[in-house]
Amino acid sequence: MNSFLTALGFLTRFPIPGSGGHMDAHSLSKSVIFFPVVGGIIGVITAGVYLVLEPFLPRSVVCVFILALPLFMTGGIHFDGLMDTCDGIFSGRSRERILEIMRDSRVGSMGVMAGIFNVMLRYSVLMELPGTILPVLLITQAATGRWVMSMALHFFPYARKDGGLGQGFGADKKLLYVILSSLLALLIIFLANGAAGIIIAVLVAAFSLFMACWVAGKLGGLTGDVYGALNEVSENVFLLLWLVAILSFHLHP
């Protein structure tokens, strides 16, 4: 239970009962098991808001709300990570300078462009997805994004030598934790989207881990910002692949 509360406290801004979980090295490492569950909770809340608002507001307005809601629930931590990562990776500088840029609280031009593209892409895909299946996709895209994060935390070293937000997760890494995380993620996706959802989620995970390899090659590992960027990219790719499958193959969850 403490590991679940740690995951909930780390990935969201929800008030946590009691102490909110003791974020020692063991709890941090073990909490990756529950990353997809926390993602699913975020998705369920987002889907619930969509279902409440959809009968009363135009689709375009509802999409703005369901875009903004996860940012409020997470404190924008993943979105911020995406912008910081793009600022650093696309700066063309040395490894050390890239890490400095990513740690800088100011957002540069590449980060701004990445943030705008991220929002525009997700908004346009949400507008095109059929309303009958959008609620379940909101749940599983959030679970998929956090599943990718749990794998990245396990399979890649931490890039910074002077500590950082994601370093504590590597202190007690165990293969069992990422296996359990994967099983929970795939169970959530299968129950919501069926076998097709599993295929799409695995494709998303493969693409995201390939991207993680590319970034790790530049940095010698990953950072907390990169984990957040992987979540944002994974969610967008998940929704985009579903849209392609629906339009091209008439596939439905």
Side-chain angles (χ1 to χ4, degrees), residues 58-79:
R59 178 74 173 274
S60 58
V61 177
V62 178
C63 284
V64 172
F65 277 103
I66 61 177
L67 268 170
L69 185 59
L71 294 177
F72 284 107
M73 286 190 283
T74 62
I77 187 173
H78 309 314
F79 187 77

mmCIF file of all heavy atoms in Angstrom, residues 58-79:
data_model
loop_
_atom_site.group_PDB
_atom_site.id
_atom_site.type_symbol
_atom_site.label_atom_id
_atom_site.label_comp_id
_atom_site.label_asym_id
_atom_site.label_seq_id
_atom_site.Cartn_x
_atom_site.Cartn_y
_atom_site.Cartn_z
ATOM 1 N N PRO A 58 -20.019 21.920 -26.855
ATOM 2 C CA PRO A 58 -19.454 21.447 -28.130
ATOM 3 C C PRO A 58 -18.210 20.596 -27.888
ATOM 4 O O PRO A 58 -17.488 20.782 -26.911
ATOM 5 C CB PRO A 58 -19.105 22.747 -28.863
ATOM 6 C CG PRO A 58 -19.918 23.804 -28.207
ATOM 7 C CD PRO A 58 -20.094 23.386 -26.776
ATOM 8 N N ARG A 59 -17.947 19.690 -28.802
ATOM 9 C CA ARG A 59 -16.809 18.774 -28.668
ATOM 10 C C ARG A 59 -15.496 19.539 -28.524
ATOM 11 O O ARG A 59 -14.612 19.145 -27.747
ATOM 12 C CB ARG A 59 -16.767 17.859 -29.896
ATOM 13 C CG ARG A 59 -15.607 16.875 -29.926
ATOM 14 C CD ARG A 59 -15.819 15.731 -28.921
ATOM 15 N NE ARG A 59 -14.817 14.713 -29.066
ATOM 16 C CZ ARG A 59 -14.875 13.689 -29.915
ATOM 17 N NH1 ARG A 59 -15.931 13.563 -30.714
ATOM 18 N NH2 ARG A 59 -13.944 12.790 -29.968
ATOM 19 N N SER A 60 -15.344 20.634 -29.264
ATOM 20 C CA SER A 60 -14.102 21.398 -29.214
ATOM 21 C C SER A 60 -13.835 21.961 -27.824
ATOM 22 O O SER A 60 -12.687 21.981 -27.357
ATOM 23 C CB SER A 60 -14.136 22.534 -30.236
ATOM 24 O OG SER A 60 -15.240 23.389 -29.996
ATOM 25 N N VAL A 61 -14.879 22.397 -27.141
ATOM 26 C CA VAL A 61 -14.726 22.947 -25.792
ATOM 27 C C VAL A 61 -14.409 21.822 -24.803
ATOM 28 O O VAL A 61 -13.542 21.975 -23.932
ATOM 29 C CB VAL A 61 -15.995 23.704 -25.365
ATOM 30 C CG1 VAL A 61 -15.862 24.214 -23.929
ATOM 31 C CG2 VAL A 61 -16.276 24.858 -26.318
ATOM 32 N N VAL A 62 -15.093 20.697 -24.951
ATOM 33 C CA VAL A 62 -14.849 19.556 -24.064
ATOM 34 C C VAL A 62 -13.404 19.078 -24.198
ATOM 35 O O VAL A 62 -12.751 18.748 -23.206
ATOM 36 C CB VAL A 62 -15.827 18.409 -24.365
ATOM 37 C CG1 VAL A 62 -15.524 17.207 -23.475
ATOM 38 C CG2 VAL A 62 -17.264 18.856 -24.156
ATOM 39 N N CYS A 63 -12.877 19.072 -25.423
ATOM 40 C CA CYS A 63 -11.498 18.627 -25.640
ATOM 41 C C CYS A 63 -10.501 19.529 -24.928
ATOM 42 O O CYS A 63 -9.469 19.061 -24.442
ATOM 43 C CB CYS A 63 -11.192 18.579 -27.137
ATOM 44 S SG CYS A 63 -11.915 17.152 -27.973
ATOM 45 N N VAL A 64 -10.800 20.813 -24.856
ATOM 46 C CA VAL A 64 -9.921 21.723 -24.114
ATOM 47 C C VAL A 64 -9.893 21.340 -22.642
ATOM 48 O O VAL A 64 -8.824 21.302 -22.008
ATOM 49 C CB VAL A 64 -10.372 23.185 -24.287
ATOM 50 C CG1 VAL A 64 -9.583 24.100 -23.352
ATOM 51 C CG2 VAL A 64 -10.195 23.631 -25.730
ATOM 52 N N PHE A 65 -11.045 21.031 -22.076
ATOM 53 C CA PHE A 65 -11.119 20.645 -20.666
ATOM 54 C C PHE A 65 -10.364 19.336 -20.407
ATOM 55 O O PHE A 65 -9.635 19.217 -19.417
ATOM 56 C CB PHE A 65 -12.577 20.498 -20.217
ATOM 57 C CG PHE A 65 -13.215 21.794 -19.844
ATOM 58 C CD1 PHE A 65 -14.103 22.416 -20.713
ATOM 59 C CD2 PHE A 65 -12.945 22.403 -18.629
ATOM 60 C CE1 PHE A 65 -14.700 23.626 -20.371
ATOM 61 C CE2 PHE A 65 -13.530 23.607 -18.280
ATOM 62 C CZ PHE A 65 -14.415 24.227 -19.155
ATOM 63 N N ILE A 66 -10.527 18.353 -21.294
ATOM 64 C CA ILE A 66 -9.874 17.064 -21.041
ATOM 65 C C ILE A 66 -8.388 17.111 -21.380
ATOM 66 O O ILE A 66 -7.627 16.215 -20.998
ATOM 67 C CB ILE A 66 -10.578 15.893 -21.764
ATOM 68 C CG1 ILE A 66 -10.562 16.079 -23.276
ATOM 69 C CG2 ILE A 66 -11.987 15.734 -21.236
ATOM 70 C CD1 ILE A 66 -11.173 14.904 -24.023
ATOM 71 N N LEU A 67 -7.964 18.144 -22.117
ATOM 72 C CA LEU A 67 -6.538 18.380 -22.276
ATOM 73 C C LEU A 67 -5.937 19.015 -21.021
ATOM 74 O O LEU A 67 -4.831 18.672 -20.600
ATOM 75 C CB LEU A 67 -6.296 19.318 -23.462
ATOM 76 C CG LEU A 67 -6.047 18.700 -24.833
ATOM 77 C CD1 LEU A 67 -6.068 19.781 -25.908
ATOM 78 C CD2 LEU A 67 -4.716 17.969 -24.855
ATOM 79 N N ALA A 68 -6.676 19.948 -20.435
ATOM 80 C CA ALA A 68 -6.168 20.702 -19.284
ATOM 81 C C ALA A 68 -6.219 19.900 -17.987
ATOM 82 O O ALA A 68 -5.344 20.051 -17.128
ATOM 83 C CB ALA A 68 -6.956 21.996 -19.121
ATOM 84 N N LEU A 69 -7.237 19.047 -17.843
ATOM 85 C CA LEU A 69 -7.435 18.355 -16.572
ATOM 86 C C LEU A 69 -6.240 17.511 -16.134
ATOM 87 O O LEU A 69 -5.802 17.608 -14.975
ATOM 88 C CB LEU A 69 -8.708 17.494 -16.646
ATOM 89 C CG LEU A 69 -9.117 16.789 -15.351
ATOM 90 C CD1 LEU A 69 -9.353 17.789 -14.220
ATOM 91 C CD2 LEU A 69 -10.369 15.945 -15.584
ATOM 92 N N PRO A 70 -5.655 16.675 -17.012
ATOM 93 C CA PRO A 70 -4.478 15.909 -16.570
ATOM 94 C C PRO A 70 -3.309 16.801 -16.163
ATOM 95 O O PRO A 70 -2.521 16.426 -15.290
ATOM 96 C CB PRO A 70 -4.130 15.067 -17.810
ATOM 97 C CG PRO A 70 -5.398 14.960 -18.571
ATOM 98 C CD PRO A 70 -6.087 16.269 -18.365
ATOM 99 N N LEU A 71 -3.181 17.974 -16.796
ATOM 100 C CA LEU A 71 -2.114 18.897 -16.408
ATOM 101 C C LEU A 71 -2.299 19.367 -14.971
ATOM 102 O O LEU A 71 -1.333 19.472 -14.210
ATOM 103 C CB LEU A 71 -2.088 20.101 -17.351
ATOM 104 C CG LEU A 71 -1.701 19.813 -18.804
ATOM 105 C CD1 LEU A 71 -1.802 21.081 -19.633
ATOM 106 C CD2 LEU A 71 -0.296 19.241 -18.893
ATOM 107 N N PHE A 72 -3.539 19.645 -14.588
ATOM 108 C CA PHE A 72 -3.812 20.054 -13.212
ATOM 109 C C PHE A 72 -3.605 18.897 -12.242
ATOM 110 O O PHE A 72 -3.071 19.085 -11.145
ATOM 111 C CB PHE A 72 -5.234 20.593 -13.090
ATOM 112 C CG PHE A 72 -5.411 21.977 -13.644
ATOM 113 C CD1 PHE A 72 -6.071 22.188 -14.834
ATOM 114 C CD2 PHE A 72 -4.894 23.084 -12.972
ATOM 115 C CE1 PHE A 72 -6.223 23.466 -15.361
ATOM 116 C CE2 PHE A 72 -5.034 24.362 -13.478
ATOM 117 C CZ PHE A 72 -5.705 24.556 -14.681
ATOM 118 N N MET A 73 -4.006 17.694 -12.639
ATOM 119 C CA MET A 73 -3.874 16.543 -11.747
ATOM 120 C C MET A 73 -2.415 16.167 -11.507
ATOM 121 O O MET A 73 -2.072 15.639 -10.448
ATOM 122 C CB MET A 73 -4.646 15.339 -12.302
ATOM 123 C CG MET A 73 -6.151 15.470 -12.167
ATOM 124 S SD MET A 73 -7.036 13.921 -12.546
ATOM 125 C CE MET A 73 -6.971 13.935 -14.336
ATOM 126 N N THR A 74 -1.561 16.407 -12.492
ATOM 127 C CA THR A 74 -0.149 16.036 -12.360
ATOM 128 C C THR A 74 0.744 17.225 -12.030
ATOM 129 O O THR A 74 1.952 17.046 -11.827
ATOM 130 C CB THR A 74 0.358 15.407 -13.677
ATOM 131 O OG1 THR A 74 0.259 16.378 -14.726
ATOM 132 C CG2 THR A 74 -0.454 14.179 -14.038
ATOM 133 N N GLY A 75 0.182 18.418 -11.994
ATOM 134 C CA GLY A 75 0.998 19.605 -11.807
ATOM 135 C C GLY A 75 1.829 19.936 -13.038
ATOM 136 O O GLY A 75 2.787 20.705 -12.960
ATOM 137 N N GLY A 76 1.460 19.351 -14.180
ATOM 138 C CA GLY A 76 2.183 19.606 -15.424
ATOM 139 C C GLY A 76 3.593 19.055 -15.444
ATOM 140 O O GLY A 76 4.411 19.453 -16.281
ATOM 141 N N ILE A 77 3.903 18.104 -14.570
ATOM 142 C CA ILE A 77 5.280 17.625 -14.420
ATOM 143 C C ILE A 77 5.795 16.955 -15.694
ATOM 144 O O ILE A 77 6.956 17.120 -16.089
ATOM 145 C CB ILE A 77 5.398 16.684 -13.193
ATOM 146 C CG1 ILE A 77 6.864 16.319 -12.944
ATOM 147 C CG2 ILE A 77 4.535 15.439 -13.370
ATOM 148 C CD1 ILE A 77 7.069 15.537 -11.661
ATOM 149 N N HIS A 78 4.918 16.187 -16.371
ATOM 150 C CA HIS A 78 5.356 15.492 -17.581
ATOM 151 C C HIS A 78 5.480 16.468 -18.753
ATOM 152 O O HIS A 78 6.407 16.365 -19.557
ATOM 153 C CB HIS A 78 4.380 14.368 -17.934
ATOM 154 C CG HIS A 78 4.083 13.455 -16.785
ATOM 155 N ND1 HIS A 78 5.079 12.961 -15.971
ATOM 156 C CD2 HIS A 78 2.915 12.959 -16.311
ATOM 157 C CE1 HIS A 78 4.534 12.188 -15.049
ATOM 158 N NE2 HIS A 78 3.223 12.176 -15.232
ATOM 159 N N PHE A 79 4.551 17.390 -18.837
ATOM 160 C CA PHE A 79 4.586 18.399 -19.902
ATOM 161 C C PHE A 79 5.835 19.267 -19.768
ATOM 162 O O PHE A 79 6.511 19.579 -20.751
ATOM 163 C CB PHE A 79 3.316 19.256 -19.826
ATOM 164 C CG PHE A 79 3.149 20.212 -20.967
ATOM 165 C CD1 PHE A 79 2.714 19.763 -22.205
ATOM 166 C CD2 PHE A 79 3.407 21.561 -20.811
ATOM 167 C CE1 PHE A 79 2.554 20.644 -23.270
ATOM 168 C CE2 PHE A 79 3.253 22.448 -21.861
ATOM 169 C CZ PHE A 79 2.829 21.992 -23.094
#
